Amino acid sequence: MKKIIALLLACMLMVTCFAGCGGNDFTTVKEGKLIMATNAYFQPYEYYDGDKIVGIDAEIAAAIAEKLGLELEIQDMAFDSIITAVSEGSVDFGLAGMTITEDRLKDVDFSISYATGVQSIIVPENSAIKTVDDLYADGAAYKVGVQLGTTGDIYATDDFGDELVTSFTTGNEAVNALLGGDVDCVIIDNEPAKAFVANNTGLKILDTSYADEDYAACIKKGNDALREAIDNAIEELIADGTIDIIVDKYIK
Ligand code: ARG
């Protein structure tokens, strides 16, 4: 009897293992690893603390990797290289406060969303720009700084044209241009915007926001097995409160 029970238990364990633990039905770029592409100049989602990349996305990625039984490796690159790296398959996924957009969906697949974002407008404290509408006013020709390849860049270029929009490699460079008077405002995600305003004097964020969006992980097109595994992990991390705890740690 004991033997039969033991055998039954062993069988059950095997079945659950095939479905979940260890027996992943996807392969990753490097065996045993989950390689994430990001752009680590985007506090509080990803940024350097010494030579370590920390932040909301870094911690969520570590939690996802743990669920998949893999070791997380983070590769820092220009934001507009992430989708290329993911679609070429040199990394497993991208996690970078990245917004789901129709255009990006042509090149990559997205996981379920794990956070919402807002595009905010940073201006000098004494700016003539008081609300978002001022940017669209008749005869207005405000110079806008953005981070290259971000939704801020894409939407602002659409709305105000190439001549008025300058794209910088990092949000930090855009903010420096604002401090130096080379641009009149910076359009960037709200949380990094808050960090930039806190770390510099004389800047503020407009009360009205420019766009609302959803952040998700991007995965190579058609890699459904990995996408589903990441979706399941995110779902569990939302349900058990882990994502809330991580977010609360970085956003007070
Ligand atoms: N949410 C914006 C986008 O998807 C900006 C993200 C920038 N992320 C970063 N890690 N620099 O375009």
Side-chain angles (χ1 to χ4, degrees):
M1 192 59 184
K2 268 194 192 143
K3 266 190 195 155
I4 292 175
I5 292 177
L7 207 75
L8 268 173
L9 275 175
C11 280
M12 277 165 63
L13 259 176
M14 268 173 65
V15 171
T16 35
C17 266
F18 276 126
C21 64
N24 290 331
D25 53 0
F26 55 83
T27 52
T28 54
V29 174
K30 266 193 230 157
E31 207 190 318
K33 294 214 165 169
L34 185 68
I35 306 181
M36 153 179 161
T38 197
N39 169 254
Y41 297 90
F42 200 65
Q43 202 177 344
Y45 295 95
E46 41 267 332
Y47 59 99
Y48 282 94
D49 180 10
D51 54 10
K52 201 173 171 251
I53 296 173
V54 298
I56 295 172
D57 287 341
E59 291 204 24
I60 291 178
I64 293 173
E66 197 186 322
K67 287 216 177 273
L68 304 187
L70 298 167
E71 190 198 326
L72 179 69
E73 183 184 307
I74 302 182
Q75 279 183 21
D76 183 20
M77 58 187 71
F79 182 74
D80 71 330
S81 299
I82 297 173
I83 293 208
T84 315
V86 168
S87 50
E88 284 175 356
S90 59
V91 298
D92 295 305
F93 74 123
L95 200 66
M98 190 183 281
T99 307
I100 306 172
T101 70
E102 288 302 319
D103 252 3
R104 288 174 181 164
L105 278 165
K106 292 178 193 151
D107 298 315
V108 286
D109 289 338
F110 279 99
S111 71
I112 55 167
S113 175
Y114 63 92
T116 53
V118 171
Q119 293 297 311
S120 287
I121 302 179
I122 312 178
V123 294
E125 265 162 6
N126 59 358
S127 173
I129 307 168
K130 305 285 181 214
T131 71
V132 179
D133 296 339
D134 292 341
L135 295 177
Y136 298 91
D138 270 350
Y142 291 111
K143 290 192 210 120
V144 181
V146 293
Q147 184 183 11
L148 182 67
T150 61
T151 45
D153 184 4
I154 298 158
Y155 302 157
T157 306
D158 254 13
D159 286 354
F160 311 115
D162 264 339
E163 322 75 59
L164 288 179
V165 179
T166 311
S167 324
F168 298 86
T169 315
T170 62
N172 205 26
E173 287 162 72
V175 170
N176 282 336
L178 180 63
L179 291 166
D182 297 329
V183 296
D184 301 306
C185 66
V186 167
I187 299 182
I188 196 158
D189 302 53
N190 191 241
E191 289 306 327
K194 282 193 214 159
F196 286 130
V197 168
N199 297 335
N200 293 284
T201 45
L203 299 180
K204 66 174 185 190
I205 299 172
L206 294 187
D207 292 334
T208 42
S209 62
Y210 181 59
D212 296 321
E213 30 195 47
D214 292 310
Y215 293 166
C218 63
I219 297 124
K220 189 177 176 156
K221 240 187 165 0
N223 192 350
D224 293 340
L226 179 61
R227 184 183 45 74
E228 277 160 24
I230 291 180
D231 275 352
N232 289 339
I234 293 176
E235 236 164 54
E236 285 171 27
L237 294 168
I238 291 174
D240 72 6
T242 306
I243 292 198
D244 276 342
I245 293 171
I246 294 172
V247 170
D248 288 349
K249 180 171 156 192
Y250 289 93
I251 302 178
K252 302 287 177 214

